[in-house]
Amino acid sequence: MLSCVGALLALLLTACSTTGGSSGSSSASLSGGKAISGKTILFEIQSTPSDSFFVPVVNGARAAAAITGLKLEIEYASNDDTTEVNQVRSAIARRVAAIAVTIPDSALNQTVCEARAQGIPVVAFNINGASGEGARCVQAFIGQDFVQSGMLIAQRMIDDGLIKPGDHVFCPVESPTQVYAVERYAGVVQALKAIGASCEELGTGVDYAPARAKMVSYLLGHPNTSAIIALGHTPLDQAPAATEQVHRKIPIGGFDITPDILQAIKSGVITATVDQQPYQQGFYAVMELALYLKYGLAPSSINTSNGALIDKSNVDQVLSLAGTYR
């Protein structure tokens, strides 16, 4: 894996890349193999164009497209499975060269297998909820190891003495049934169980104001809450305001970054967050498909969040890059 990363970094140093535009670049720097410059990759995002989380993801994808000469066709499904299935099937019908796709659940199982049956390579990024035969049709996943990252943040708060044996922890998350939430929760519970602490989950949705209201209601009804581990960026972003509203100082940790999350880490209100490193998710998803198309190199799964904790020790570096590369 280190040799692959080194090779890709070398390509970055020798290529002209951009984070602007919507279709990549024609300036290819890969030599040998099959000609792939100008071929189109569908870059399918389950969320909305207004979701700031995916800005670095798209920037990373565009940088890889610039290096390889591929064109990106970026689609947003606005969190609707039917829309995403239709967009992917339309791309298959147009015979795109490859597909990079976020897969929130099993609804795309048949569709990704339809792509593979047509000889179109498929790599999942950010989230891979494919199951059964669908999981076998996805050649690699570029994203966070959700269980490992759940254990990471919970153990950090335990080690810091912020969660103690017998404590009741509040675990709010946007969508409790999605794979990222299920697996992050499993990792948190595993770490807490080892010291006899517990964690209760609550669905908040993605909109900030309703999420904050639900968290405030929970905290008022559960005065025994000792800590908060927010399993997604919406509840983590809103946790400081929720605790302030109930007039309690409660240790907070969680996942992902927003400008407010980073400022709260800098001020000490949030202890730490686990970064998915979304730029890598877009970059490596496109790059691995390019290497497959050009050289026949099989895509490999990459954990983009191995130990990627942000706390007071490194938050300043992340602040300067937030919204573009982080």
Side-chain angles (χ1 to χ4, degrees), residues 203-232:
T204 65
V206 298
D207 294 329
Y208 281 2
R212 182 172 65 252
K214 289 178 182 178
M215 294 168 68
V216 167
S217 179
Y218 181 92
L219 293 172
L220 289 173
H222 298 79
N224 63 327
T225 299
S226 302
I228 297 173
I229 297 181
L231 303 178

Side-chain angles (χ1 to χ4, degrees), residues 266-318:
K266 188 175 178 67
S267 68
V269 176
I270 293 176
T271 299
T273 188
V274 187
D275 185 12
Q276 291 192 61
Q277 302 191 129
Y279 188 93
Q280 288 190 11
Q281 294 178 3
F283 181 87
Y284 286 124
V286 171
M287 183 60 74
E288 290 208 4
L289 287 169
L291 296 177
Y292 179 81
L293 293 170
K294 193 164 186 65
Y295 307 125
L297 296 173
S300 301
S301 295
I302 297 177
N303 176 10
T304 64
S305 190
N306 188 16
L309 272 174
I310 299 173
D311 58 19
K312 269 194 170 184
S313 70
N314 60 359
V315 70
D316 284 336
Q317 178 189 16
V318 180

Side-chain angles (χ1 to χ4, degrees), residues 7 17 44 49 82 99 102 110 154 159 208 216 233 248 267 278 292 315 323:
S17 62
E44 178 73 27
T82 300
I99 295 172
T102 52
Q110 182 177 343
D159 291 344
Y208 281 2
V216 167
H233 76 272
R248 293 188 60 197
S267 68
Y292 179 81
V315 70

Side-chain angles (χ1 to χ4, degrees), residues 134-271:
R136 289 185 284 274
C137 292
V138 177
Q139 293 167 275
F141 172 55
I142 316 298
Q144 185 175 75
D145 183 319
F146 299 117
V147 175
Q148 181 191 77
S149 63
M151 294 178 64
L152 179 67
I153 187 62
Q155 193 61 52
R156 168 61 184 268
M157 296 183 73
I158 291 169
D159 291 344
D160 285 359
L162 302 175
I163 299 176
K164 301 177 178 62
D167 276 354
H168 172 78
V169 180
F170 176 33
C171 291
V173 64
E174 298 93 343
S175 305
T177 61
Q178 286 199 8
V179 65
Y180 81 94
V182 172
E183 294 187 0
R184 283 175 176 172
Y185 181 71
V188 169
V189 168
Q190 186 174 338
L192 295 181
K193 187 176 180 180
I195 65 165
S198 63
C199 176
E200 185 173 4
E201 200 171 21
L202 174 73
T204 65
V206 298
D207 294 329
Y208 281 2
R212 182 172 65 252
K214 289 178 182 178
M215 294 168 68
V216 167
S217 179
Y218 181 92
L219 293 172
L220 289 173
H222 298 79
N224 63 327
T225 299
S226 302
I228 297 173
I229 297 181
L231 303 178
H233 76 272
T234 293
L236 183 59
D237 185 284
Q238 293 300 300
T243 57
E244 183 178 358
Q245 192 167 334
V246 299
H247 306 293
R248 293 188 60 197
K249 290 186 177 180
I250 303 173
I252 301 168
F255 296 84
D256 303 334
I257 63 175
T258 67
D260 286 343
I261 288 171
L262 296 176
Q263 288 296 339
I265 291 173
K266 188 175 178 67
S267 68
V269 176
I270 293 176
T271 299

